């Protein structure tokens, strides 16, 4: 009898909008846990001022700020870092 064994070699990089739809919209769509709502320019302005590198780092590693919490990779630790960065870039594009 042959058993099936799934081996995860690495996460696949996904487009930002796809990651947003599958993961990020749960919080950023409604502002859950202090998440700035998608497209809310006023809420995103101080975050955008921190720069892309900081936004990417906070989304990948997780972050707790004054206004709320960003779980590591939005709670989907199986996502590649690049997929998370793509999602951040998508969210940023919606707030500019």
């Amino acid at each position: 009898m042959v058993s099936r064994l799934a081996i995860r070699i690495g996460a696949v990089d996904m487009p930002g909008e796809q990651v947003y739809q599958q993961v990020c919209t749960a919080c950023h769509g409604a502002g859950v846990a202090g998440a700035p709502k998608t497209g809310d320019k006023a809420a995103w302005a101080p975050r955008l001022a921190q720069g892309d590198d900081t936004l990417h780092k906070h989304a990948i590693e997780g972050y707790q700020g004054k206004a709320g919490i960003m779980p590591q990779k939005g709670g989907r630790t199986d996502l590649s870092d690049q997929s998370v960065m793509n999602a951040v870039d998508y969210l940023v594009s919606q707030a500019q």
Side-chain angles (χ1 to χ4, degrees):
M1 177 179 191
V2 177
S3 65
R4 293 183 182 206
L5 177 63
I7 300 175
R8 185 164 186 261
I9 299 198
V12 176
D13 296 336
M14 297 169 38
E17 187 172 5
Q18 183 180 356
V19 176
Y20 171 80
Q21 292 297 333
Q22 291 181 8
V23 181
C24 311
T25 191
C27 293
H28 288 283
V32 173
K37 290 184 183 180
T38 306
D40 183 341
K41 294 178 187 214
W44 277 96
R47 291 164 175 90
L48 296 178
Q50 295 177 357
D52 291 343
D53 289 343
T54 298
L55 292 174
H56 290 156
K57 180 180 178 179
H58 288 173
I60 292 168
E61 297 177 4
Y63 179 77
Q64 184 161 356
K66 298 175 200 168
I69 186 167
M70 171 67 202
Q72 178 186 18
K73 295 187 176 184
R76 284 282 309 273
T77 57
D78 61 313
L79 290 171
S80 70
D81 288 356
Q82 186 61 55
S83 294
V84 175
M85 290 188 292
N86 293 345
V88 169
D89 294 346
Y90 174 79
L91 277 161
V92 165
S93 75
Q94 300 304 299
Q96 294 177 325

